[in-house]
Amino acid sequence: MKILQSVLDSVMKRNPNEPEFIQAVTEVLETIEPVAEKHPEWVEAGIFERIVEPERQIIFRVPWVDDAGKVQVNRGFRIQFNSAIGPYKGGIRLHPSVYSGILKFLGFEQIFKNALTGLPIGGGKGGSDFDPKGKSDAEVMRFCQSFMTELSKHIGADTDVPAGDIGTGAREIGYMYGQYKRLRNEFTGVLTGKGLDWGGSLARKEATGYGLLYFMDAYLKDKGMSFEGKTVVISGSGNVAIYATEKAQSFGAKVVALSDSNGYIYDPDGIDLAVVKEIKEVRRGRIKEYCDVKPNATYTEGCRGIWTIKCDVALPCATQNEIDEESAKILVANGVQAVGEGANMPSTIAAINTFLSNGILFGPAKAANAGGVATSALEMSQNSMRYSWTFEEVDAKLKDIMENIYKNACKAAADYGMDGNLVAGANIAGFEKVARAMYAQGIAY
Ligand code: NDP
């Protein structure tokens, strides 16, 4: 990098203890250097320096009382990263690993992903180091209420519209929405992922997983292939993984593995999704319980080994950096043809380079998992109109959006002489839209 090295150097200096954020910025800057060469006016206007610095970061105390009457204190965050093309939009992650570095990487990626959807949404992310695992419903409710008591001062339907992410599902969104309404006396679309009876959108639950499959299906078809008869390995067994599995199966693929943070299951007969949904969505159980019902399946403790299973298509849908260079090399050696990122930044930079240099079809997260936030934006539209579209209407719009993202990422890559590199294509297409808006809006906005 020539022009943008100084931008990266200052990000490293300013955020020395945030490796995930530095990783996400490095990946983007490395691919948009040709954009800086083509647009000296953007360099002059400091667009690159500005886009890597959040507009606002809110960090707050979240005190709550557990079932034993003991006071607990967590840390809450909202990173309002960029509002050039719309209100901040991005999920809330509840996981013990959460700190500002994780949320800044997620918020930064969200800027470009949201731009790629073609919808008017800026980038943000939030969360807390609270761990919902093992907590009672009442404890989760008290935490969510305390979290929203502070967050409500900083968000709004036209300002910042959070959604779910790891650890934040329908239950948590319900408790947070209830508290927002109690405090503000407003029934507005301030959160997405709401229940269907109170402002939620049909197909939002399925959107990220389905969208990933629509994107990868468009990619495979463009290369003369399809999901029909393919063996697929999917990591995770949460919201994204479950609905990626459902759509992959409907496309005629055989999904043979799923995981959680304890280990992975392998079912040579193909995953029985009804069993997984019962364990994960109804009972909040562990993935190993699958083998109690399916004797042909095996369970292996520890999740990394999932990438040693031979497959045609790998869809990482759990968490960041779950595929390192070694796992990528094993996937390639085992003949993987395509990798689609359902999770955010699941592949390390070295893993991505391994896939690209071996000619694997690689669908990067910013493009491939944008279906969730796109459908969240459709939920916002329905809330504004006080109207609901049918499942089929939302699903058709989602499919259309994912196919357009694929086309736009391909075109941007080709325009800059990097034909077939969707990592570069997605970064460039997303970046250019936001940069144009920032440039038009001037500096002191
Ligand atoms: P869920 O909380 O529903 O599921 C997460 C899954 O990943 C669980 O199976 C969980 O296992 C596993 N997991 C979490 N952390 C780890 C870890 N450190 N190591 C191994 N496995 C882990 O979250 P989602 O399905 O919503 O999110 C999954 C990914 O997709 C995340 O990267 C998220 O940012 C991304 N994403 C989600 C969107 C959405 O609409 N939900 C939209 C776009 C991206 P366990 O139960 O043991 O914790």
Side-chain angles (χ1 to χ4, degrees), residues 241-395:
I242 286 177
Y243 292 95
T245 303
E246 188 165 283
K247 190 51 83 177
Q249 291 177 338
S250 83
F251 282 169
K254 187 180 188 186
V255 180
V256 294
L258 286 174
S259 63
D260 60 22
S261 54
N262 294 111
Y264 65 91
I265 52 165
Y266 171 66
D267 188 341
D269 302 332
I271 295 289
D272 183 336
L273 195 59
V275 173
V276 175
K277 283 188 179 178
E278 203 276 323
I279 295 168
K280 286 288 171 181
E281 294 189 329
V282 180
R283 287 196 279 116
R284 296 179 189 276
R286 307 307 299 161
I287 200 67
K288 70 175 172 202
E289 294 164 38
Y290 182 89
C291 300
D292 301 340
V293 190
K294 294 276 169 183
N296 267 354
T298 52
Y299 174 73
T300 307
E301 195 73 23
C303 10
R304 296 236 163 216
I306 192 169
W307 307 118
T308 62
I309 299 170
K310 191 171 161 50
C311 62
D312 304 310
V313 181
L315 303 175
C317 294
T319 194
Q320 63 274 356
N321 291 330
E322 50 172 313
I323 303 186
D324 57 12
E325 187 177 11
E326 192 192 331
S327 301
K329 283 183 174 159
I330 295 171
L331 279 164
V332 172
N334 281 339
V336 76
Q337 295 161 22
V339 177
E341 295 188 320
N344 283 311
M345 206 169 77
S347 317
T348 63
I349 292 179
I352 294 173
N353 290 336
T354 303
F355 293 134
L356 295 181
S357 62
N358 282 281
I360 309 302
L361 304 186
F362 182 73
K366 273 183 218 87
N369 75 18
V373 74
T375 309
S376 275
L378 299 178
E379 182 174 330
M380 289 164 71
S381 302
Q382 294 170 82
N383 292 163
S384 298
M385 294 189 290
R386 302 269 190 271
Y387 186 73
S388 297
W389 290 316
T390 63
F391 187 98
E392 289 69 26
E393 283 172 312
V394 180
D395 193 36

Side-chain angles (χ1 to χ4, degrees), residues 93-95 97 105-106 110 113 125 131 133 163-169 204-205 207-209 235-242 259-263 280 285-287 303 316-320 322 341-346 365 369-373 376:
R93 178 171 292 193
L94 300 181
H95 193 271
S97 63
F105 116 63
L106 289 163
Q110 198 83 46
K113 180 189 308 190
K125 199 81 188 189
D131 186 359
K133 241 181 257 155
D165 189 69
I166 290 179
T168 306
R204 173 60 188 93
K205 183 175 69 173
T208 309
S235 64
S237 48
N239 175 262
V240 181
I242 286 177
S259 63
D260 60 22
S261 54
N262 294 111
K280 286 288 171 181
R286 307 307 299 161
I287 200 67
C303 10
C317 294
T319 194
Q320 63 274 356
E322 50 172 313
E341 295 188 320
N344 283 311
M345 206 169 77
N369 75 18
V373 74
S376 275

Side-chain angles (χ1 to χ4, degrees), residues 82-325:
N82 193 299
S83 61
I85 63 165
Y88 309 106
K89 180 99 199 80
I92 292 174
R93 178 171 292 193
L94 300 181
H95 193 271
S97 63
V98 163
Y99 78 109
S100 58
I102 295 245
L103 297 180
K104 275 159 68 182
F105 116 63
L106 289 163
F108 182 69
E109 298 250 299
Q110 198 83 46
I111 303 169
F112 309 105
K113 180 189 308 190
N114 293 3
L116 278 171
T117 65
L119 301 167
I121 37 179
K125 199 81 188 189
S128 171
D129 56 2
F130 174 78
D131 186 359
K133 241 181 257 155
K135 304 286 192 303
S136 69
D137 281 353
E139 288 177 322
V140 170
M141 182 174 77
R142 289 194 292 272
F143 166 81
C144 289
Q145 290 175 340
S146 178
F147 182 79
M148 183 52 84
T149 298
E150 178 58 32
L151 188 68
S152 66
K153 298 168 190 162
H154 311 285
I155 62 175
D158 296 316
T159 311
D160 182 355
V161 183
D165 189 69
I166 290 179
T168 306
R171 173 182 62 170
E172 291 75 17
I173 292 288
Y175 294 148
M176 289 182 197
Y177 193 68
Q179 183 70 352
Y180 183 86
K181 211 160 48 59
R182 224 167 267 127
L183 292 167
R184 300 283 286 258
N185 196 25
E186 278 174 9
F187 196 105
T188 53
V190 69
L191 293 174
T192 55
K194 299 185 291 298
L196 294 177
D197 295 326
W198 39 281
S201 173
L202 285 159
R204 173 60 188 93
K205 183 175 69 173
E206 295 82 357
T208 309
Y210 279 22
L212 171 66
L213 269 291
Y214 292 144
F215 182 92
M216 292 307 291
D217 188 49
Y219 199 173
L220 289 176
K221 286 194 172 134
D222 195 24
K223 303 293 170 196
M225 296 186 256
S226 85
F227 270 102
E228 184 68 44
K230 293 265 187 305
T231 300
V232 179
V233 166
I234 299 181
S235 64
S237 48
N239 175 262
V240 181
I242 286 177
Y243 292 95
T245 303
E246 188 165 283
K247 190 51 83 177
Q249 291 177 338
S250 83
F251 282 169
K254 187 180 188 186
V255 180
V256 294
L258 286 174
S259 63
D260 60 22
S261 54
N262 294 111
Y264 65 91
I265 52 165
Y266 171 66
D267 188 341
D269 302 332
I271 295 289
D272 183 336
L273 195 59
V275 173
V276 175
K277 283 188 179 178
E278 203 276 323
I279 295 168
K280 286 288 171 181
E281 294 189 329
V282 180
R283 287 196 279 116
R284 296 179 189 276
R286 307 307 299 161
I287 200 67
K288 70 175 172 202
E289 294 164 38
Y290 182 89
C291 300
D292 301 340
V293 190
K294 294 276 169 183
N296 267 354
T298 52
Y299 174 73
T300 307
E301 195 73 23
C303 10
R304 296 236 163 216
I306 192 169
W307 307 118
T308 62
I309 299 170
K310 191 171 161 50
C311 62
D312 304 310
V313 181
L315 303 175
C317 294
T319 194
Q320 63 274 356
N321 291 330
E322 50 172 313
I323 303 186
D324 57 12
E325 187 177 11

Side-chain angles (χ1 to χ4, degrees), residues 38-58:
K38 188 174 164 193
H39 289 281
E41 75 284 10
W42 290 352
V43 176
E44 184 73 15
I47 299 289
F48 298 89
E49 284 84 354
R50 284 193 274 150
I51 209 163
V52 296
E53 185 65 21
E55 288 175 17
R56 193 173 298 105
Q57 304 183 56
I58 301 145

